[in-house]
Amino acid sequence: MKKSELGFAERVSYGFGDMGTSLAYNMASGFLLFYYTNVVGLPAAAVGTVFLVARLMDAVIDILVGIAVDKTRSRWGRTRIYFLIMAIPYALLTVAAFSMPAWSQWAQLVYAFVTFKALGIVMSLQAIPYTALMPMMTLDGKERLRLSGWRSIGTATGVVLGTAAVMPLVDLLGGGDQRRGFTLVTALFAVVGLVCTLALFRNCKERYEDDAQPGFAILPVIGEMVRNRAWLVVFFHCLLYFARFGMMMAATAYFAIDVMGRPWMISVMLPAVAGMLLLSAFVAPAILARTGLRCGTAGALAIAALFFGALPFVQDDVPLFMGLYVAGCLATSITITSTYAMIAETVNYHEAKFGARREGLLSAGISLSTKLGMALGTAGFAYVLGAFHYAPGHVTAEAREAIRWTYSGGAVAVLIVQTLVVLCWPGMTRPKP
């Protein structure tokens, strides 16, 4: 097919399409554990198990969704039809996840599992086609970096709404009733996500499709995927990134309130993540075009490890603490833009090695890694709370120390391993348009 320049509306719609798939995910990542433990009153360890089991089940679900995308042929293409069909169910399940009925504790845990699992399934049916769409839109590497930058802007906006804006909106809309506030905020976010998803469906086009037949044997194709070195690097890179991100998102409220003794820091630390994502969306494409994906990403991760590693030693100096924290967030945010571009590049690598693009399956594997990472990070922190007998309003010194060192030390350990993984990124072979 003739190479086509992407228009401004298409780039913007693709970027903010990330809000349609991740706004609810960001809110759940930052506040669902807090909502269940501190608002509803469920035990932290039990909630951690709910998160972990639900995400482990995604190992099968995400692969099936990816295969379905590769087999789909419709008047709206292979990916866009999913945005149209799943937009409303995703919005409804977003509200359901933060609308806990006044049932017994056991019934509430079952409700938490069912709604969280259903939300994850429908998210897969949006997120996997969304990730698969970029390599279908363009084969040009520079254009993909631009799309990655726009996606980072959408991600940053989603993080601002899904983290920093949540508690002020809960207080405003709930009028002192946090249960009601959380439900109303998620209803508002569900509408925003719905609009973004429908704009993605309307404005973004599939230009480059896999010539492979929709009928194929599943196991051999999965075998090819796990022999794709570029895909393996991105899989473990995303797994580690989101394990750290999930842990820090879940722990920030506890860290600010129980360790720093400054609840106002929640509304500074979480927006800092979004602000640095937004800044990196403008600076990262130029940096990565000069350094290359491998060196630029590994360097940013190593720098972030240094900044986060220094946090426990400057805890009493709040301005210095926040400066190092923001610098670390900027460094890790650069890797988000590079990750989006790397995901698209795995399709080129797969086509060069195996003769088929398999956008859906490859995207499904990456989606799985992000969800498993978030589950491991969130559940891991919940288990730390349970192990040190965390109780809201009656936090022991041991629990405070566990939160403090998990927040920083856990991040540094993951960042070091992540750097080593990214250094294994291979050279790319780009197909001709």
Side-chain angles (χ1 to χ4, degrees):
M1 181 178 289
K2 184 178 179 181
K3 188 175 180 180
S4 176
E5 183 76 14
L6 302 184
F8 179 76
E10 189 170 8
R11 291 191 188 114
V12 173
S13 295
Y14 180 79
F16 279 86
D18 191 88
M19 285 180 59
T21 58
S22 66
L23 183 54
Y25 189 69
N26 288 330
M27 185 171 174
S29 301
F31 291 96
L32 197 54
L33 176 63
F34 180 84
Y35 172 75
Y36 285 154
T37 59
N38 288 41
V39 178
V40 178
L42 295 175
V47 174
T49 300
V50 166
F51 290 160
L52 186 59
V53 172
R55 287 310 185 209
L56 289 176
M57 292 173 65
D58 287 335
V60 175
I61 292 169
D62 280 15
I63 295 300
L64 292 177
V65 172
I67 292 170
V69 170
D70 284 334
K71 290 179 176 286
T72 296
R73 301 292 185 273
S74 77
R75 60 177 292 191
W76 294 293
R78 291 171 47 208
T79 62
R80 294 170 62 243
I81 187 173
Y82 290 93
F83 310 143
L84 181 63
I85 294 174
M86 291 296 133
I88 292 177
Y90 191 51
L92 295 175
L93 284 166
T94 299
V95 179
F98 281 91
S99 302
M100 178 65 72
W103 296 344
S104 68
Q105 185 177 99
W106 173 248
Q108 287 180 330
L109 286 170
V110 172
Y111 180 89
F113 176 81
V114 171
T115 53
F116 186 65
K117 181 66 261 171
L119 182 66
I121 292 173
V122 179
M123 182 191 173
S124 294
L125 289 165
Q126 278 199 185
I128 292 169
Y130 174 69
T131 301
L133 177 60
M134 187 200 289
M136 297 182 187
M137 292 173 66
T138 178
L139 297 179
D140 184 79
K142 291 182 179 179
E143 193 66 73
R144 287 178 175 178
L145 275 176
R146 294 189 191 101
L147 285 174
S148 298
W150 275 107
R151 183 174 179 180
S152 292
I153 293 173
T155 301
T157 307
V159 171
V160 169
L161 292 175
T163 57
V166 169
M167 292 310 296
L169 286 173
V170 166
D171 293 337
L172 176 65
L173 299 180
D177 184 346
Q178 285 195 326
R179 279 189 182 237
R180 180 172 180 269
F182 272 107
T183 300
L184 292 176
V185 171
T186 50
L188 174 63
F189 287 177
V191 173
V192 173
L194 178 63
V195 171
C196 291
T197 300
L198 293 178
L200 174 69
F201 166 78
R202 181 182 184 276
N203 296 326
C204 295
K205 308 300 178 186
E206 300 175 9
R207 293 175 175 81
Y208 301 93
E209 297 183 0
D210 197 337
D211 294 329
Q213 295 298 314
F216 53 83
I218 295 175
L219 290 179
V221 169
I222 293 176
E224 291 175 352
M225 179 178 70
V226 298
R227 297 198 305 274
N228 180 332
R229 179 178 166 185
W231 180 86
L232 286 173
V233 169
V234 178
F235 178 89
F236 286 107
H237 167 54
C238 287
L239 178 72
L240 293 165
Y241 180 97
F242 282 93
R244 179 195 59 80
F245 184 73
M247 181 275 295
M248 295 188 76
M249 289 280 283
T252 294
Y254 299 89
F255 181 82
I257 295 171
D258 298 317
V259 176
M260 299 295 288
R262 297 177 173 91
W264 59 265
M265 290 182 68
I266 301 172
S267 297
V268 177
M269 295 176 74
L270 292 179
V273 175
M276 294 306 99
L277 278 171
L278 186 60
L279 177 59
S280 73
F282 295 99
V283 303
I287 293 173
L288 296 168
R290 181 179 295 272
T291 63
L293 292 175
R294 176 171 57 189
C295 292
T297 305
L301 291 169
I303 291 170
L306 291 175
F307 287 135
F308 284 125
L311 292 182
F313 305 101
V314 298
Q315 188 172 304
D316 294 331
D317 188 338
V318 174
L320 179 58
F321 178 94
M322 290 304 304
L324 292 173
Y325 176 82
V326 168
C329 289
L330 176 59
T332 57
S333 295
I334 290 173
T335 72
I336 281 288
T337 299
S338 67
T339 297
Y340 295 151
M342 291 167 75
I343 292 170
E345 293 297 318
T346 65
V347 175
N348 293 347
Y349 190 87
H350 199 87
E351 184 178 20
K353 190 173 179 65
F354 300 109
R357 293 170 65 79
R358 308 297 184 205
E359 296 97 336
L361 182 62
L362 297 177
S363 298
I366 302 305
S367 174
L368 171 63
S369 73
T370 64
K371 288 201 264 186
L372 285 178
M374 288 294 291
L376 290 171
T378 305
F381 181 70
Y383 289 143
V384 169
L385 294 180
F388 286 87
H389 308 291
Y390 175 85
H394 303 281
V395 184
T396 64
E398 291 78 8
R400 286 194 185 91
E401 285 301 294
I403 294 170
R404 181 163 77 100
W405 287 104
T406 300
Y407 194 80
S408 177
V412 171
V414 172
L415 286 165
I416 292 172
V417 178
Q418 202 178 348
T419 304
L420 297 176
V421 168
V422 169
L423 289 174
C424 297
W425 177 253
M428 292 287 111
T429 301
R430 186 172 301 281
K432 296 180 180 180

